[in-house]
Every structure is written in structure tokens, then in C-alpha cells.
Amino acid sequence: SSGINAEYGGVFQEKLFARFGKHPKEALFYINLLGVVCFIPSYNNIMATIYEFNDSPAYPIFGIPSLWVYCLMNVGMQYICVQSIYYLLSEWTSLAVTLITTLRKFLSLLLSIMLFNNTFTQEHWVSACLVFLGSALFSGLIKLPGEAYIEGVLRRLKREHELPS
């Protein structure tokens, strides 16, 4: 479901940029601020996690609970990543951005498998093939059967009728 939500968010963002102009930092602020409302039903769980974080051992360098240090480092890295995604959305289509983020997630998965000696299952192989196939189709390295014919017909129609690009 997160993939579907990300796709919807990307298309929504693309429509916002087309209508109101490209302002990735403003979009980042408002879309994430509006998303905070979704966490209201999880209030009790969030409070329990805050207490758990407060009770974690102190981080040696900063003297504050270690889970808060890790959380803050994660939030900082996520902010950089999300800011980059919003910038990409202001310049490229949501499909291209989805492709880029899917490849990044796949490379993160491979790195995780190598670093932590996890097994590369059959599902991983199928997913890897689908990621590379989708990337090749999107970039034009692979043409679908009949795609060249359709492109030729469109070029011929354009020449004959002087259709705009």
C-alpha cells in the first residue's frame, strides 16, 4: 500500500506543480504537515514509544537517550532524501521519479543483503528481474513488440497531418 500511496502522491505533486508552479520546498512542507493528521489515531502507541526512547541507555557522546540520537539521525537522513525526491518531482515526471526511487530501494536491499549476510531468495530474484525489466523498458533499452510500428505510424500521421508534438 505504501507504493500505491507514493504513486498517488507523485501524481498529485505533478498536478500541483503544473497548476501552481514548481515550488518543491513549499510542497514538501504542506504535504507533510497535512499528513500529521493521519497519526492522531496512533497517539497511544506514539506515547509508549516516547517513554521507551526516554528509558534507553544514554548515548556516550551526547549524554541523551541513545534511541533519540538514532531517531534524530534517521530523521535528518530522511529529510535529505525526501527533499531530493520533491526536487526531482519538480523537474521530472512522477513515473521517472518512481523508477529512480524503486532502483534506490532495490540497491539498498542488495546492500543490506551483502552487509548482513541475508539470503537472496527466489522472490528477490523475481523482483530484481522486474525492476531491471521496468527500468530497461522505461529508458528505451528494450522495445515492446509492435512499439516500433506504432512509433512509425505516429511519425507518418504527424508528417501527413502536421500534428503538434
Side-chain angles (χ1 to χ4, degrees):
S1 80
S2 68
I4 293 169
N5 286 336
E7 261 312 299
Y8 174 75
V11 171
F12 179 70
Q13 187 65 36
E14 197 173 318
K15 288 179 180 180
L16 282 177
F17 285 151
R19 184 170 179 186
F20 299 109
K22 297 178 180 182
H23 306 286
K25 289 185 179 180
E26 185 178 0
L28 173 67
F29 174 76
Y30 282 113
I31 288 177
N32 284 290
L33 179 68
L34 294 173
V36 170
V37 176
C38 297
F39 289 101
I40 291 172
S42 301
Y43 174 79
N44 292 333
N45 189 11
I46 292 170
M47 289 307 298
T49 302
I50 287 173
Y51 294 135
E52 182 182 338
F53 275 37
N54 288 340
D55 292 337
S56 67
Y59 196 78
I61 298 172
F62 303 113
I64 62 174
S66 58
L67 289 177
W68 283 114
V69 174
Y70 300 138
C71 182
L72 291 174
M73 289 190 308
N74 188 20
V75 166
M77 295 306 293
Q78 287 296 317
Y79 176 74
I80 292 168
C81 290
V82 169
Q83 191 174 21
S84 300
I85 295 299
Y86 276 82
Y87 173 75
L88 284 174
L89 278 169
S90 71
E91 300 297 322
W92 293 6
T93 65
S94 60
L95 178 62
V97 174
T98 299
L99 177 69
I100 291 168
T101 56
T102 301
L103 282 172
R104 183 207 50 86
K105 289 174 185 177
F106 176 71
L107 293 174
S108 294
L109 176 67
L110 285 181
L111 186 63
S112 172
I113 287 170
M114 289 186 300
L115 288 176
F116 300 109
N117 296 320
N118 292 326
T119 57
F120 199 75
T121 66
Q122 185 175 3
E123 289 85 6
H124 289 118
W125 281 112
V126 171
S127 299
C129 291
L130 290 173
V131 166
F132 288 122
L133 176 65
S135 301
L137 287 169
F138 180 77
S139 66
L141 292 175
I142 297 175
K143 298 276 187 186
L144 291 174
E147 191 174 344
Y149 172 76
I150 292 170
E151 287 175 355
V153 169
L154 290 175
R155 277 194 302 271
R156 194 171 344 109
L157 284 172
K158 184 179 175 183
R159 278 194 311 263
E160 291 174 3
H161 302 288
E162 297 180 13
L163 293 174
S165 304

